[in-house]
PDB file of all heavy atoms in Angstrom:
ATOM      1  N   ASN A  48       3.434   7.578  13.718  1.00 95.00           N
ATOM      2  CA  ASN A  48       4.324   6.926  14.560  1.00 95.00           C
ATOM      3  C   ASN A  48       4.425   5.480  14.132  1.00 95.00           C
ATOM      4  O   ASN A  48       3.494   4.856  13.773  1.00 95.00           O
ATOM      5  CB  ASN A  48       3.733   6.921  16.029  1.00 95.00           C
ATOM      6  CG  ASN A  48       3.427   8.244  16.605  1.00 95.00           C
ATOM      7  OD1 ASN A  48       3.786   9.299  16.046  1.00 95.00           O
ATOM      8  ND2 ASN A  48       2.968   8.300  17.735  1.00 95.00           N
ATOM      9  N   TYR A  49       5.626   4.895  14.209  1.00 95.00           N
ATOM     10  CA  TYR A  49       6.952   5.394  14.610  1.00 95.00           C
ATOM     11  C   TYR A  49       7.881   5.209  13.406  1.00 95.00           C
ATOM     12  O   TYR A  49       8.973   4.781  13.623  1.00 95.00           O
ATOM     13  CB  TYR A  49       7.392   4.801  15.794  1.00 95.00           C
ATOM     14  CG  TYR A  49       6.480   5.053  17.057  1.00 95.00           C
ATOM     15  CD1 TYR A  49       5.542   4.244  17.459  1.00 95.00           C
ATOM     16  CD2 TYR A  49       6.826   6.254  17.784  1.00 95.00           C
ATOM     17  CE1 TYR A  49       4.776   4.461  18.632  1.00 95.00           C
ATOM     18  CE2 TYR A  49       5.911   6.569  18.880  1.00 95.00           C
ATOM     19  CZ  TYR A  49       4.987   5.643  19.234  1.00 95.00           C
ATOM     20  OH  TYR A  49       4.174   5.918  20.355  1.00 95.00           O
ATOM     21  N   TYR A  50       7.579   5.578  12.262  1.00 97.00           N
ATOM     22  CA  TYR A  50       8.297   5.290  11.093  1.00 97.00           C
ATOM     23  C   TYR A  50       9.338   6.332  10.807  1.00 97.00           C
ATOM     24  O   TYR A  50       9.325   7.479  11.217  1.00 97.00           O
ATOM     25  CB  TYR A  50       7.503   5.268   9.850  1.00 97.00           C
ATOM     26  CG  TYR A  50       6.549   4.034   9.879  1.00 97.00           C
ATOM     27  CD1 TYR A  50       5.118   4.331   9.904  1.00 97.00           C
ATOM     28  CD2 TYR A  50       6.925   2.680  10.007  1.00 97.00           C
ATOM     29  CE1 TYR A  50       4.198   3.204   9.823  1.00 97.00           C
ATOM     30  CE2 TYR A  50       6.018   1.759  10.030  1.00 97.00           C
ATOM     31  CZ  TYR A  50       4.595   1.963  10.050  1.00 97.00           C
ATOM     32  OH  TYR A  50       3.675   0.986  10.055  1.00 97.00           O
ATOM     33  N   TYR A  51      10.480   5.890  10.238  1.00 98.00           N
ATOM     34  CA  TYR A  51      11.438   6.795   9.761  1.00 98.00           C
ATOM     35  C   TYR A  51      11.597   6.685   8.118  1.00 98.00           C
ATOM     36  O   TYR A  51      11.309   5.769   7.593  1.00 98.00           O
ATOM     37  CB  TYR A  51      12.940   6.267  10.278  1.00 98.00           C
ATOM     38  CG  TYR A  51      13.045   6.480  11.731  1.00 98.00           C
ATOM     39  CD1 TYR A  51      12.264   5.752  12.625  1.00 98.00           C
ATOM     40  CD2 TYR A  51      13.805   7.427  12.325  1.00 98.00           C
ATOM     41  CE1 TYR A  51      12.348   5.913  14.063  1.00 98.00           C
ATOM     42  CE2 TYR A  51      13.957   7.648  13.838  1.00 98.00           C
ATOM     43  CZ  TYR A  51      13.185   6.805  14.579  1.00 98.00           C
ATOM     44  OH  TYR A  51      13.245   6.998  15.913  1.00 98.00           O
ATOM     45  N   TRP A  52      12.007   7.880   7.712  1.00 98.00           N
ATOM     46  CA  TRP A  52      11.949   8.064   6.162  1.00 98.00           C
ATOM     47  C   TRP A  52      13.290   8.278   5.711  1.00 98.00           C
ATOM     48  O   TRP A  52      13.931   9.269   6.136  1.00 98.00           O
ATOM     49  CB  TRP A  52      10.981   9.076   5.844  1.00 98.00           C
ATOM     50  CG  TRP A  52       9.586   8.704   6.322  1.00 98.00           C
ATOM     51  CD1 TRP A  52       9.106   9.132   7.588  1.00 98.00           C
ATOM     52  CD2 TRP A  52       8.700   7.841   5.760  1.00 98.00           C
ATOM     53  NE1 TRP A  52       7.878   8.609   7.602  1.00 98.00           N
ATOM     54  CE2 TRP A  52       7.505   7.857   6.655  1.00 98.00           C
ATOM     55  CE3 TRP A  52       8.527   7.216   4.454  1.00 98.00           C
ATOM     56  CZ2 TRP A  52       6.316   7.098   6.401  1.00 98.00           C
ATOM     57  CZ3 TRP A  52       7.474   6.443   4.231  1.00 98.00           C
ATOM     58  CH2 TRP A  52       6.359   6.409   4.995  1.00 98.00           C
ATOM     59  N   SER A  53      13.954   7.382   4.934  1.00 98.00           N
ATOM     60  CA  SER A  53      15.341   7.321   4.812  1.00 98.00           C
ATOM     61  C   SER A  53      15.832   7.582   3.331  1.00 98.00           C
ATOM     62  O   SER A  53      15.066   7.349   2.432  1.00 98.00           O
ATOM     63  CB  SER A  53      15.915   5.921   5.274  1.00 98.00           C
ATOM     64  OG  SER A  53      15.585   5.695   6.586  1.00 98.00           O
ATOM     65  N   TRP A  54      17.047   7.911   3.257  1.00 98.00           N
ATOM     66  CA  TRP A  54      17.776   8.010   1.934  1.00 98.00           C
ATOM     67  C   TRP A  54      18.882   7.053   1.889  1.00 98.00           C
ATOM     68  O   TRP A  54      19.661   7.068   2.831  1.00 98.00           O
ATOM     69  CB  TRP A  54      18.241   9.452   1.658  1.00 98.00           C
ATOM     70  CG  TRP A  54      17.161  10.451   1.273  1.00 98.00           C
ATOM     71  CD1 TRP A  54      16.395  11.312   2.115  1.00 98.00           C
ATOM     72  CD2 TRP A  54      16.356  10.469  -0.021  1.00 98.00           C
ATOM     73  NE1 TRP A  54      15.479  11.993   1.452  1.00 98.00           N
ATOM     74  CE2 TRP A  54      15.470  11.406   0.054  1.00 98.00           C
ATOM     75  CE3 TRP A  54      16.564   9.747  -1.283  1.00 98.00           C
ATOM     76  CZ2 TRP A  54      14.545  11.784  -0.962  1.00 98.00           C
ATOM     77  CZ3 TRP A  54      15.724  10.341  -2.255  1.00 98.00           C
ATOM     78  CH2 TRP A  54      14.783  11.256  -2.156  1.00 98.00           C
ATOM     79  N   ILE A  55      19.001   6.280   0.776  1.00 98.00           N
ATOM     80  CA  ILE A  55      20.085   5.334   0.542  1.00 98.00           C
ATOM     81  C   ILE A  55      20.584   5.565  -0.737  1.00 98.00           C
ATOM     82  O   ILE A  55      19.780   5.847  -1.642  1.00 98.00           O
ATOM     83  CB  ILE A  55      19.623   3.861   0.790  1.00 98.00           C
ATOM     84  CG1 ILE A  55      18.883   3.694   2.109  1.00 98.00           C
ATOM     85  CG2 ILE A  55      20.690   2.911   0.757  1.00 98.00           C
ATOM     86  CD1 ILE A  55      17.355   3.874   1.955  1.00 98.00           C
ATOM     87  N   ARG A  56      21.870   5.367  -1.065  1.00 98.00           N
ATOM     88  CA  ARG A  56      22.415   5.511  -2.456  1.00 98.00           C
ATOM     89  C   ARG A  56      23.352   4.310  -2.712  1.00 98.00           C
ATOM     90  O   ARG A  56      23.818   3.598  -1.710  1.00 98.00           O
ATOM     91  CB  ARG A  56      23.199   6.794  -2.512  1.00 98.00           C
ATOM     92  CG  ARG A  56      24.545   6.978  -1.758  1.00 98.00           C
ATOM     93  CD  ARG A  56      25.106   8.291  -2.115  1.00 98.00           C
ATOM     94  NE  ARG A  56      26.381   8.326  -1.526  1.00 98.00           N
ATOM     95  CZ  ARG A  56      27.300   9.379  -1.526  1.00 98.00           C
ATOM     96  NH1 ARG A  56      26.923  10.408  -2.235  1.00 98.00           N
ATOM     97  NH2 ARG A  56      28.409   9.425  -0.851  1.00 98.00           N
ATOM     98  N   GLN A  57      23.560   4.077  -3.985  1.00 98.00           N
ATOM     99  CA  GLN A  57      24.420   2.942  -4.455  1.00 98.00           C
ATOM    100  C   GLN A  57      25.314   3.496  -5.628  1.00 98.00           C
ATOM    101  O   GLN A  57      24.697   3.530  -6.728  1.00 98.00           O
ATOM    102  CB  GLN A  57      23.575   1.752  -4.788  1.00 98.00           C
ATOM    103  CG  GLN A  57      24.552   0.518  -5.190  1.00 98.00           C
ATOM    104  CD  GLN A  57      23.671  -0.676  -5.275  1.00 98.00           C
ATOM    105  OE1 GLN A  57      22.447  -0.713  -5.854  1.00 98.00           O
ATOM    106  NE2 GLN A  57      24.266  -1.845  -4.940  1.00 98.00           N
ATOM    107  N   PRO A  58      26.479   3.787  -5.432  1.00 98.00           N
ATOM    108  CA  PRO A  58      27.335   4.125  -6.493  1.00 98.00           C
ATOM    109  C   PRO A  58      27.613   3.072  -7.418  1.00 98.00           C
ATOM    110  O   PRO A  58      27.444   1.779  -7.072  1.00 98.00           O
ATOM    111  CB  PRO A  58      28.732   4.532  -5.885  1.00 98.00           C
ATOM    112  CG  PRO A  58      28.289   4.776  -4.337  1.00 98.00           C
ATOM    113  CD  PRO A  58      27.209   3.905  -4.111  1.00 98.00           C
ATOM    114  N   PRO A  59      27.815   3.237  -8.710  1.00 97.00           N
ATOM    115  CA  PRO A  59      28.054   2.126  -9.526  1.00 97.00           C
ATOM    116  C   PRO A  59      29.118   1.215  -9.165  1.00 97.00           C
ATOM    117  O   PRO A  59      30.334   1.535  -8.710  1.00 97.00           O
ATOM    118  CB  PRO A  59      28.607   2.862 -10.927  1.00 97.00           C
ATOM    119  CG  PRO A  59      28.126   4.193 -10.872  1.00 97.00           C
ATOM    120  CD  PRO A  59      28.068   4.527  -9.436  1.00 97.00           C
TER     121      PRO A  59
END
Side-chain angles (χ1 to χ4, degrees):
N48 298 358
Y49 295 96
Y50 298 116
Y51 292 69
W52 305 90
S53 303
W54 287 99
I55 307 98
R56 69 179 182 179
Q57 186 170 35

